[in-house]
Amino acid sequence: MRSLRRRSRLVVVLLCGAALLAAGPTAADGEPGDGPDSGLSTRVARLYEDAAVATQRYETGRREAEAKQGEVRRLEELLGRERRETAVLREDLGRIARAQYRGGGGLPVVAQMLLTGDPERLMRGQHLFSQANLAVENAMEKSRRAEARLAAGEGKAVAVWQEVERKRAELEALKKGIEDQLEQARWELQGQADASVAAGACRGAVRLDEPPTSVTSEWATPVETYALSAGFGSGGDRWVNRHTGQDFAVPIGTPVRAVGAGRVVRVSCGGAFGIQVVIRHSDGYFTQYGHLAAVTVDQGDRVAPGQWIGQSGTSGNSTGPHLHFEVRITPELGSSIDPVPWLAERGVPVA
């Protein structure tokens, strides 16, 4: 009986242990499900989308402003011609007025008839005088129209320019407001990541609403837009021997993508890489994504090429926001190979 009770207790212990293993990885390796502060990761992702839309609107507005500036320049050229024509008309009016004064154009017709002895000559003079008056009136009317066009053109040019400046200021303020919110949210997200690394316990995967992937091939870069920083094998005080991966300089919160299809074999928080994800691919290679601010996958998840697996950060042994990307022949540190030619062999040039 005593032996039977011992065996019963052993069975219960083994069943409890199996249940714990089946529940998933330990806190240090990543807790499944949404963490308590997952809303911040979602907010960062949405702000990235808003910033992209704001940037598009700003660029559209900038192009419209350039087109309007071209319109203003054309108006200014027309105004320049109008000013020159107006100046010529004023000179013509002055010349006609001076000619009339010298020719006695100011005397009344009766006085001219009394003073002249040749009526026929007087009539010819009066005809010329009438023509001169008509020319003066026409010139004055043309000058008035030119002045009106000039004033209207100047007013239109000013109005167009003011509208361009108003729209540009509005778009710039909108873009800056979103970028300021994004920057604040990034560092809040990084603060959560630092707390997780200090505790050695991941907060769990955050399931983000990922837009439709633009990846159409079997392989992709780990981040969409980037600048390369430290490369594989480079030396420095930050590493014991040589740098074991390729760094992609990106802001905190940038979506990090699986470079190819595979299964997540590790999600951990703590140590030199901070928050990291390791994926095993079907060809037997492993890829590692380090210094993250948040993860969007759990250990055991299957991932597709280009799928979001986390958000970049600067957790762990990091001097600034970037993604540390490795390619390994085992899931462990020390088995890495140069990831740039590895990606190039798969049709993904990194430059």
Side-chain angles (χ1 to χ4, degrees), residues 204-236:
V206 178
R207 306 301 183 179
L208 300 177
D209 292 330
E210 185 177 347
T213 181
S214 59
V215 176
T216 55
S217 59
E218 294 183 4
W219 301 93
T221 53
V223 283
E224 194 166 359
T225 305
Y226 57 86
L228 295 180
S229 48
F232 179 80
S234 56

Side-chain angles (χ1 to χ4, degrees), residues 66-331:
E66 288 176 355
K68 289 291 185 182
Q69 285 172 348
E71 183 181 339
V72 170
R73 283 192 293 271
R74 287 191 296 274
L75 281 171
E76 287 176 345
E77 288 174 4
L78 289 172
L79 289 173
R81 286 200 294 271
E82 293 283 1
R83 290 188 187 102
R84 289 191 293 274
E85 289 176 7
T86 302
V88 170
L89 286 171
R90 285 173 180 162
E91 289 179 6
D92 288 345
L93 284 171
R95 188 168 55 254
I96 292 170
R98 288 191 297 272
Q100 280 188 313
Y101 178 78
R102 286 193 300 269
L107 285 174
V109 175
V110 175
Q112 290 183 44
M113 289 179 69
L114 291 172
L115 293 173
T116 185
D118 188 350
E120 187 177 343
R121 182 181 174 189
L122 175 63
M123 293 304 295
R124 285 199 303 271
Q126 280 301 115
H127 179 67
L128 293 173
F129 177 72
S130 297
Q131 285 183 328
N133 267 347
L134 183 61
V136 169
E137 288 175 3
N138 288 339
M140 290 181 67
E141 180 60 28
K142 190 174 181 181
S143 178
R144 281 193 293 269
R145 288 198 301 269
E147 292 283 355
R149 284 197 306 271
L150 184 62
E154 287 176 342
K156 184 178 180 182
V158 169
V160 168
W161 184 251
Q162 287 176 342
E163 179 66 12
V164 167
E165 286 294 302
R166 184 185 66 80
K167 285 185 176 179
R168 186 195 62 79
E170 285 179 359
L171 289 169
E172 193 171 302
L174 173 68
K175 184 169 176 281
K176 187 178 184 307
I178 293 173
E179 287 174 347
D180 288 346
Q181 291 179 51
L182 179 56
E183 185 66 10
Q184 180 182 352
R186 281 171 178 158
W187 287 107
E188 288 178 20
L189 183 65
Q190 184 59 44
Q192 289 185 0
D194 293 340
S196 294
V197 172
C202 293
R203 294 176 179 271
V206 178
R207 306 301 183 179
L208 300 177
D209 292 330
E210 185 177 347
T213 181
S214 59
V215 176
T216 55
S217 59
E218 294 183 4
W219 301 93
T221 53
V223 283
E224 194 166 359
T225 305
Y226 57 86
L228 295 180
S229 48
F232 179 80
S234 56
D237 298 334
R238 298 189 299 276
W239 310 295
V240 176
N241 295 308
R242 292 283 178 176
H243 192 228
T244 55
Q246 174 63 58
D247 286 350
F248 293 80
V250 287
I252 295 168
T254 300
V256 175
R257 314 185 297 181
V259 296
R263 182 184 290 277
V264 178
V265 296
R266 179 176 298 161
V267 176
S268 62
C269 301
F273 292 114
I275 299 175
Q276 65 168 321
V277 172
V278 178
I279 297 173
R280 186 185 189 280
H281 301 282
S282 58
D283 57 4
Y285 286 97
F286 296 80
T287 53
Q288 181 228 19
Y289 312 77
H291 305 307
L292 302 178
V295 294
T296 61
V297 290
D298 286 316
Q299 190 167 309
D301 285 356
R302 286 197 172 277
V303 293
Q307 179 181 331
W308 289 1
I309 59 171
Q311 291 167 295
S312 65
T314 182
S315 59
N317 182 17
S318 171
T319 58
H322 71 283
L323 169 70
H324 175 85
F325 174 71
E326 284 192 20
V327 176
R328 300 172 177 172
I329 58 175
T330 76

